[in-house]
Amino acid sequence: MSAQSWLNRIWYERVAPPWWLVPMSLAYGAVSGSRRFLYAKRMRRSTRIARPVVIVGNLTVGGTGKTPLVCWLVTRLGELGFKPGIVTRGYGGSSGTVRVIDASDDPKLVGDEPILLAQRTRAPVAIGRDRPAAAQLLVGAGCDVIVSDDGLQHYPLARDCEVVVIDGDRRFGNGWLLPAGPLRETRSRLAVADAIVVNGGRALLDGALSMRLEAKAAVALSGDRELPLRAFAGTQVHAVAGIGNPERFFNMLRAHGIGVLGHPLADHARLTPRDIQFPDQKPVLMTEKDAVKCRTAADARHWYVPVSAAFEAGEASALLDIVTDKIAAREPRAYPRGTPDG
């Protein structure tokens, strides 16, 4: 059993954490709480850039649906007449520089999620551990709103709006802070967020919005073929997922009547040909994030399944109103405004 699998059992399967993880969690909480206090009291300085910043983050480690929500939000802001840019750390890439990436860059250099974001949104994407500097590059490139994929706990970058995404299935796990549990911050942090979005479940909290991830088709890694997921119903496939919660991807395929031979990998895993090549001729379905890392090793069996964020009636508009109101409060300029929903 891998270290991550062992931790997941403790975090999400009601397995009591070992006693020696508890003091580590208490120490983590003391350090993270003190750090946030110092920024809140302006004893440490946050950098406020010249354009509004919207953070899309979470309280837990692992996947909650942030990236699809960032894609949705950037698309909607573009439809309203904004020129959004995306800032992200570039986790999993080897580049140590702050830079604006290109959609054709090597994911080994810049990370998998930045490539996915650039390809899906066609918006400028900047990476770097120094998020204020990365965000400033986007301002210099003409962006008038910066959307941060993750970074809720990155307090050096001042923000105008915070959207927190919660996994509706896993929720907060066992409720412990790292490493005894999956929490980066305590649940009390939600009280100061501008919006709470629950992915895959009705609101756990009053005022939270419900989001779901939709997948309708599979796209071939070689060529331009696309098939509806129902075309794979009743068949058995290999499913590859190097994301924070691989079971979410596997269960999504099962919901379409697909038999799944699951191959979970670590989040941001660097895929090799042996990770996607199997001795039979069954189709291989993978996440879009994994697909950007293995196109050169793909053949006619390999497909990726793009997912999109969707909301209940009226809740898309509610979230967009929260975000645009915060943008307007920071910078009350005249933008072309539409009323996209979805």
Side-chain angles (χ1 to χ4, degrees):
M1 180 184 294
S2 68
Q4 188 59 59
S5 297
W6 178 73
L7 284 173
N8 283 338
R9 288 190 66 231
I10 294 170
W11 293 351
Y12 299 112
E13 297 179 17
R14 300 186 182 277
V15 176
W19 67 266
W20 47 270
L21 283 182
V22 174
M24 295 171 67
S25 290
L26 295 175
Y28 176 91
V31 171
S32 63
S34 298
R35 182 171 174 271
R36 182 164 181 265
F37 175 83
L38 292 174
Y39 278 103
K41 298 301 181 182
R42 302 179 186 273
M43 298 170 70
R44 284 192 178 181
R45 184 180 176 184
S46 296
T47 300
R48 184 168 292 280
I49 64 171
R51 294 291 182 263
V53 173
V54 180
I55 302 285
V56 180
N58 59 11
L59 294 188
T60 58
V61 297
T64 59
K66 295 186 310 297
T67 299
L69 180 55
V70 168
C71 292
W72 179 91
L73 182 58
V74 167
T75 299
R76 296 302 179 272
L77 289 173
E79 292 171 353
L80 289 174
F82 294 95
K83 297 177 181 177
I86 303 169
V87 63
T88 185
R89 178 181 170 182
Y91 187 84
S94 61
S95 175
T97 61
V98 176
R99 54 174 290 196
V100 176
I101 72 155
D102 188 89
S104 61
D105 281 339
D106 186 348
K108 293 180 181 178
L109 180 65
V110 303
D112 47 25
E113 284 180 348
I115 299 295
L116 186 158
L117 289 165
Q119 291 177 348
R120 285 288 294 268
T121 68
R122 302 188 182 278
V125 177
I127 64 168
R129 296 176 66 91
D130 186 344
R131 291 182 193 244
Q136 191 57 53
L137 287 180
L138 295 173
V139 174
C143 298
D144 53 20
V145 178
I146 309 302
V147 179
S148 176
D149 184 2
D150 208 359
L152 185 67
Q153 291 79 28
H154 189 86
Y155 293 111
L157 178 60
R159 66 285 311 267
D160 302 280
C161 182
E162 291 182 338
V163 180
V164 179
V165 188
I166 298 171
D167 185 324
D169 296 323
R170 287 181 160 188
R171 303 192 177 188
F172 306 105
N174 60 11
W176 281 89
L177 290 167
L178 290 166
L183 289 175
R184 297 170 171 177
E185 296 182 282
T186 64
R187 291 181 59 173
S188 62
R189 178 69 171 78
L190 295 174
V192 295
D194 298 293
I196 301 169
V197 176
V198 179
N199 175 23
R202 176 41 71 177
L204 329 175
L205 302 165
D206 291 341
L209 304 170
S210 294
M211 181 184 86
R212 64 187 181 277
L213 298 181
E214 291 186 342
K216 299 179 179 179
V219 182
L221 269 72
S222 55
D224 298 322
R225 293 173 299 152
E226 182 174 312
L227 286 176
L229 279 179
R230 65 176 178 272
F232 297 89
T235 65
Q236 196 171 59
V237 306
H238 293 284
V240 176
I243 56 177
N245 184 3
E247 279 301 317
R248 180 184 290 279
F249 179 67
F250 301 155
N251 289 335
M252 178 190 68
L253 297 180
R254 292 182 183 115
H256 284 82
I258 301 171
V260 172
L261 296 172
H263 303 275
L265 301 171
D267 195 13
H268 301 286
R270 290 195 174 188
L271 274 68
T272 64
R274 67 182 180 183
D275 292 316
I276 65 168
Q277 299 288 352
F278 303 98
D280 53 46
Q281 294 301 309
K282 292 182 175 67
V284 181
L285 272 58
M286 66 188 71
T287 71
E288 189 173 11
K289 187 168 77 169
D290 293 315
V292 303
K293 296 177 285 190
C294 57
R295 288 185 180 276
T296 56
D299 57 38
R301 294 172 296 169
H302 295 92
W303 306 76
Y304 72 88
V305 183
V307 298
S308 300
F311 292 85
E312 301 299 329
E315 296 200 341
S317 295
L319 177 58
L320 204 53
D321 286 346
I322 290 170
V323 172
T324 54
D325 285 349
K326 289 293 181 178
I327 292 172
R330 166 72 188 281
E331 191 167 312
R333 300 192 303 164
Y335 294 95
R337 299 290 289 272
T339 55
D341 203 347

